[in-house]
Amino acid sequence: MTLRWGILATGGIAHAFTTDLKGAGLTVAAVGSRAQRSADAFARTFEIPVAHGTYEALAADPGVDAIYIATPHPQHVEAARLALAGGKHVLIEKPITLTQAEAAEIRDLAAANGLVAMEAMWTRYLPMMARIREIIADGTIGDVRAVSADHTQSISTDPAHRLNALDLGGGALLDLGIYPISFAWDILGEPVSIKASARIGETGADTEVATVMTHASGALSTTVSSSRSAGANTAHILGSSARIDIDRTWYNQATFTVTAPDGSVIERYEEKISGRGMQFQALALEKAVTQGVAPLLPVDESARIMGTLDEIRRQIGVRYPGE
């Protein structure tokens, strides 16, 4: 059994996701937008049979089993409420929400309705990350001592741009920093201490954020995120016996090298995949629904990661309207 997917919102990320779904042979049954014209155009592009002019209509569509929520993140919780109330499983673009409280609401609504809710942190589901977890689990690099990752891009200085607008959930942390923060959680688990510093832009949104976190094992993680400067976008996992260096851009399906302390190469990973790789998270949701396979990133963990982001924002002094 494959699920019948609905796409909620029609922006760039929805195009990327739908391209990968169609490429993987998954079923896209409907699309919903706040404007019928946008829904119709998206449906024509991807040969989707049903186009709805409201999100409510998509949520109520009996021909849809699961909905991918591709709105800006301040709108995620409202869209998830609609979809879950309509009996639909949800895959919600990252970050799952603006706050931990909103993510916990989605978690609880899904559980109450017997539905699956997942954050679309697609990096976790890439074959590259599956191999990295195997290498760590089999002891190749020894005890993990430290993790570092950056997500830095030169995007826009326009105050009206989404990343600079607090009312749109703007800031480097939630749009970009979610990747390295979630990566640190994936490798090391929940942090037991968090220290954060940031540069704040003209609109009050963070433009650069750096974190140092300690995890239960004693291992450290460091992250840097920026919306105003483009860096190497690499990631590194340092072990007592070897290290893993993930090449640019590490949050995509990337190449990586496992290197011993003497500089000798233990493994070089260069597997190619089709498309961007967003289909793997959709396949994981389908397995969760049809086979009961727990997702790599449970919604409760997504909620707790939002708690980490809440604490970072508290430390750097960023608050969103209405908080």
Side-chain angles (χ1 to χ4, degrees), residues 54-175:
T54 67
Y55 297 155
E56 289 82 0
L58 177 65
D61 188 338
V64 170
D65 304 306
I67 289 179
Y68 169 68
I69 295 173
T71 62
H73 39 274
Q75 301 163 22
H76 285 178
V77 68
E78 180 182 356
R81 289 183 192 125
L82 277 175
L84 291 167
K88 309 300 190 285
H89 307 285
V90 288
L91 179 63
I92 305 163
E93 196 38 62
K94 48 70 205 96
I96 189 169
T97 51
L98 272 182
T99 66
Q100 182 175 23
E102 289 182 350
E105 179 185 345
I106 291 172
R107 176 199 65 203
D108 295 345
L109 281 172
N113 288 280
L115 297 166
V116 173
M118 273 177 45
E119 181 181 20
M121 178 45 69
W122 59 289
T123 300
R124 288 234 187 167
Y125 296 90
L126 293 173
M128 168 195 75
M129 286 305 305
R131 179 58 189 144
I132 286 172
R133 291 188 202 98
E134 289 174 352
I135 290 167
I136 293 171
D138 69 21
T140 298
I141 68 169
D143 297 328
V144 178
R145 308 286 297 175
V147 167
S148 63
D150 70 298
H151 191 177
T152 52
Q153 298 186 38
S154 181
I155 296 177
S156 177
T157 60
D158 181 358
H161 189 279
R162 181 176 60 82
L163 258 74
N164 301 316
L166 283 178
D167 60 330
L168 297 178
L173 178 66
L174 261 65
D175 255 276

Side-chain angles (χ1 to χ4, degrees), residues 247-259:
D247 301 322
R248 176 182 180 87
T249 51
W250 72 266
Y251 42 84
N252 293 288
Q253 173 77 356
T255 55
F256 68 79
T257 306
V258 185
T259 306

Side-chain angles (χ1 to χ4, degrees), residues 102-300:
E102 289 182 350
E105 179 185 345
I106 291 172
R107 176 199 65 203
D108 295 345
L109 281 172
N113 288 280
L115 297 166
V116 173
M118 273 177 45
E119 181 181 20
M121 178 45 69
W122 59 289
T123 300
R124 288 234 187 167
Y125 296 90
L126 293 173
M128 168 195 75
M129 286 305 305
R131 179 58 189 144
I132 286 172
R133 291 188 202 98
E134 289 174 352
I135 290 167
I136 293 171
D138 69 21
T140 298
I141 68 169
D143 297 328
V144 178
R145 308 286 297 175
V147 167
S148 63
D150 70 298
H151 191 177
T152 52
Q153 298 186 38
S154 181
I155 296 177
S156 177
T157 60
D158 181 358
H161 189 279
R162 181 176 60 82
L163 258 74
N164 301 316
L166 283 178
D167 60 330
L168 297 178
L173 178 66
L174 261 65
D175 255 276
L176 307 176
I178 179 64
Y179 283 92
I181 296 293
S182 187
F183 177 70
W185 267 76
D186 188 10
I187 303 302
L188 297 174
E190 186 168 6
V192 296
S193 72
I194 302 166
K195 294 182 180 179
S197 296
R199 176 180 287 180
I200 306 301
E202 308 82 359
T203 63
D206 49 288
T207 58
E208 281 85 21
V209 181
T211 69
V212 179
M213 301 188 293
T214 305
H215 300 260
S217 66
L220 301 177
S221 66
T222 59
T223 76
V224 175
S225 306
S226 175
S227 61
R228 298 287 178 91
S229 56
N233 289 314
T234 57
H236 309 274
I237 303 169
L238 307 184
S240 57
S241 302
R243 72 177 191 269
I244 301 172
D245 299 310
I246 311 175
D247 301 322
R248 176 182 180 87
T249 51
W250 72 266
Y251 42 84
N252 293 288
Q253 173 77 356
T255 55
F256 68 79
T257 306
V258 185
T259 306
D262 65 4
S264 61
V265 173
I266 298 170
E267 178 176 332
R268 176 69 178 165
Y269 177 95
E270 297 182 328
E271 182 180 355
K272 303 294 184 183
I273 61 170
S274 62
R276 192 182 185 198
M278 301 186 81
Q279 67 271 27
F280 297 106
Q281 60 186 349
L283 291 166
L285 185 139
E286 293 207 359
K287 286 183 178 179
V289 171
T290 63
Q291 302 175 32
V293 177
L296 288 168
L297 179 55
V299 67
D300 181 64

